[in-house]
Amino acid sequence: MIEILQFEFMRNALYAGFLTSIICGIIGTLIVVNRLVFLAGGIAHSAYGGIGMAFFFGLPYMVGAIGFSFVVAMIMAGVSLKAKERADTIVGVLWAVGMASGILLLDLTPGYNVDLMSYLFGSILSVPRSDLITMAAIGVVILFLVSYFFRDLLAMSYDEEFAQIRGMPVKRLYYMLIGMVAVTVVMVVQVVGLILVIALLTIPPSISEKYTKSLAKMMLSSCFLGMVFTTGGLWLSYRYDMTSGAAIIFLASVVFFLSLFLDRVILLFKKNIVL
Amino acid sequence: MGEIHPMVEMADLSFSYPGQEVLSAINFTVYSGDFVAIIGPNGGGKTTLVKLIVGLLKPSGGMLRVNGKTPGRGGAVIGYVPQQIKHNDNFPASALDVVLMGRHSPDKRWAFFRGGDDRTAALQALEKMGMEKYAERKITDLSGGQRQRVLIARALVTEPDLLVLDEPTASIDTKGQAVFFNLLKTLNKDLTILVVSHDLLVVSSYAKSIACVNKRLHYHDIVGSTTDLMNAFYACSVEEVCPVETVVRGLNKNTFLDLPRHD
C-alpha cells in the first residue's frame, strides 16, 4: 500500500484530494446549509461555456472558465434574490445554455478538439504541481473570507431577515458566497471533474449535518470525510484498477446511504425503548 | 422605562407591491410601554406592516419613524421574532448559538474569540425564557414552542427597546399560549411590545391595545371591560371583513349585534 506513494502522480493526487476536500468541506457546508445545491450544480455545468469560450478565443483556461462562471453565478445570485420563486427555472436554463454554448464554441474552434468528457470526471491522477499551488492559494483566500465573516454567514444562513435587521450586509454576503462557490467549482472541476465536485460539495456536508451541533464542526467533519473519501477512493481505484473519480464518488455515496440506514435503525431502537 | 414617548409613528403610510396596494393611509402611533396586538384577516397586511416597522421593506409613501428615525437607522433597537424560520431539519446550531446570533454585529468581526460577556448575556436571556437547560441542545431537536422561546431570547439579547413578534403562537398549543402570553406580559414591564396574532381571544386578555389591519388600520385602546373589548372587535369588523366578525357573532349574536357602530 505504502509503495504507491513513491510515484509523484500518486502523491500529487493525494494532495489534490486533500485540498479539494478542505475547500469543498467549507464551501459545501455553506451550500448545503443554505440549500444552494441546485445553484452550485448550475454554476458547475455552465463552466462548460467558459471552457468553450477559452478555447474559441484562445484564452487561458482559468481566465475563460472563471470569468464566465463568475458572471453566470452573479446573474443566478441576482435572480434568486429578486425573484426567489423563479430562481430554479432560471438556474435550469442557464445550466443548459452554459453547457450547450460550450460545446458549440468548441465545434466552431478550428483544429484540435478537447475531450469535454475529461471535464466530467476529471483526472485526479494527472494533477500537475502548478495546479496544486493555485488550489492551495484559493483555499487560503476562502479560509480567510469564511473565518472573517463566519458569524455573519452563520446568522444569515439561519435567518436572513434577522441578520439584515441586525445590520449585516446580507445581500453582499450572498453575492460573496455565490462568488466563492463559482471560483471553487471552476478550480476544482479542472482537477477532479464536474461530477466529483458536486459529490464532494454535497455528500460530506449532508452526512456531517446530522451529527454536528455547530457550523464550524460541520465544516471540519466535512473536510475530514472528504479526505477519507478521496484517499479511500484513490486506493480502491489503484487496487482494483477503476476510474478514480467514479471510485471516490461511489465510496462517498455508499457511506451516505449507510448513514441514512443507520439513522433508521437508531430511530427504531429509540422507539422500542420508549415502548 | 422612563417617560412615555412615541416609539413607532406612522402618518399616511402606504405600501404596495406592483399592481397591488397592501396598506394605505395608515395613521398609527405606538407609545413606549404599550402592548399592541395587531389583528386582521389573512392577506390584510399584518406581516407587511411589521416588515415595514423593522425595516425589511421600504414604505411606498407616507411617513414612518421608529423612535424618531427611519427604520434601520439606529432610532431604536428592535428585537424581531419571525413567524417561523424555513431552515433545514438539521441546521447545525445549538440553542445557545442561535441566541448568540443576536449578539453579533458587523463591527465585532475581528474579535475572533467571543468575549465571555456575550455568552453570559445569552445564557441569561435563555434563563429568562426558561430555556437554560436546553442551551447546548441542537435547535432543530427542540419543539416548536421551545424554538419560539429561543428566538425570543435571541431578540432579547439584542437589548431591544421594542419587541416585534409575528404570529408567535402559531406552533404552540392552547395551554402553551397562555403561558407564553403571560411571559410577554412580564417582558412588557421593560419593553414595548407589538405582536401580530390571529387568535383574538387569547390576545385580548393580554394586550393593552389592539390594531386591526386590513389595508387600513383601526386602533383601539382597551379600557378594561369586556364590552369595550368586544366593541373594539366589532367596530373593526363592520367596515372591513375582519375575522372578528365571525368570532363575535358566533359567540353571541344577540348581545353583540346591537353594539354602537364605530365611526
Side-chain angles (χ1 to χ4, degrees), chain A residues 218-247:
Chain A
M218 180 172 163
M219 286 177 177
L220 274 176
S221 148
S222 305
C223 295
F224 174 74
L225 277 178
M227 288 178 191
V228 171
F229 296 153
T230 47
T231 316
L234 275 174
W235 180 79
L236 280 176
S237 83
Y238 174 79
R239 178 77 177 71
Y240 299 101
D241 194 20
M242 297 187 294
T243 311
S244 51

Side-chain angles (χ1 to χ4, degrees), chain B residues 142-165:
Chain B
L142 301 178
S143 72
Q146 290 171 330
R147 218 176 294 169
Q148 202 66 44
R149 283 161 179 260
V150 173
L151 292 185
I152 296 175
R154 180 183 67 168
L156 289 179
V157 91
T158 63
E159 293 167 6
D161 307 303
L162 171 68
L163 193 62
V164 178
L165 306 99

Side-chain angles (χ1 to χ4, degrees), chain A residues 151-152 159 209 213, chain B residues 104 109 112 136 138 154:
Chain A
R151 281 177 210 137
D152 297 63
D159 184 351
E209 192 181 39
K213 264 198 291 194
Chain B
H104 177 64
R109 278 184 200 127
F112 200 74
E136 297 299 332
K138 201 167 172 173
R154 180 183 67 168

Side-chain angles (χ1 to χ4, degrees), chain B residues 7-8 10 28 30-31 33-41 45-51 53-54 78-83 129 148 152 155 161-172 176-188 191-213 217-220 222 233:
Chain B
M7 187 58 93
V8 183
M10 300 171 207
F28 180 36
V30 179
Y31 289 93
D34 204 348
F35 187 152
V36 185
I38 300 178
I39 58 169
K46 293 176 304 225
T47 297
T48 306
L49 186 70
V50 162
K51 287 194 172 173
I53 294 172
V54 300
I78 301 178
Y80 178 53
V81 182
Q83 202 162 0
M129 300 307 295
Q148 202 66 44
I152 296 175
D161 307 303
L162 171 68
L163 193 62
V164 178
L165 306 99
D166 193 358
E167 298 266 9
T169 53
S171 53
I172 308 178
Q177 285 180 13
V179 178
F180 182 83
F181 277 101
N182 270 320
L183 205 91
L184 286 189
K185 214 170 174 176
T186 320
L187 293 176
N188 184 229
L191 273 174
T192 314
I193 294 183
L194 236 158
V195 57
V196 171
S197 181
H198 59 255
D199 203 334
L200 315 164
L201 295 176
V202 175
V203 155
S204 62
S205 34
Y206 299 96
K208 289 178 184 161
S209 50
I210 286 175
C212 181
V213 179
L217 185 145
H218 296 285
Y219 180 75
H220 309 279
I222 300 175
F233 277 165

Side-chain angles (χ1 to χ4, degrees), chain A residues 252-263:
Chain A
S253 357
V254 167
V255 175
F256 177 76
F257 287 113
L258 269 179
S259 86
L260 285 186
F261 177 71
L262 197 73
D263 293 344

Side-chain angles (χ1 to χ4, degrees), chain A residues 185-197:
Chain A
V185 161
V186 173
M187 183 62 234
V188 185
V189 158
Q190 196 199 6
V191 180
V192 296
L194 192 66
I195 312 282
L196 186 53
V197 176

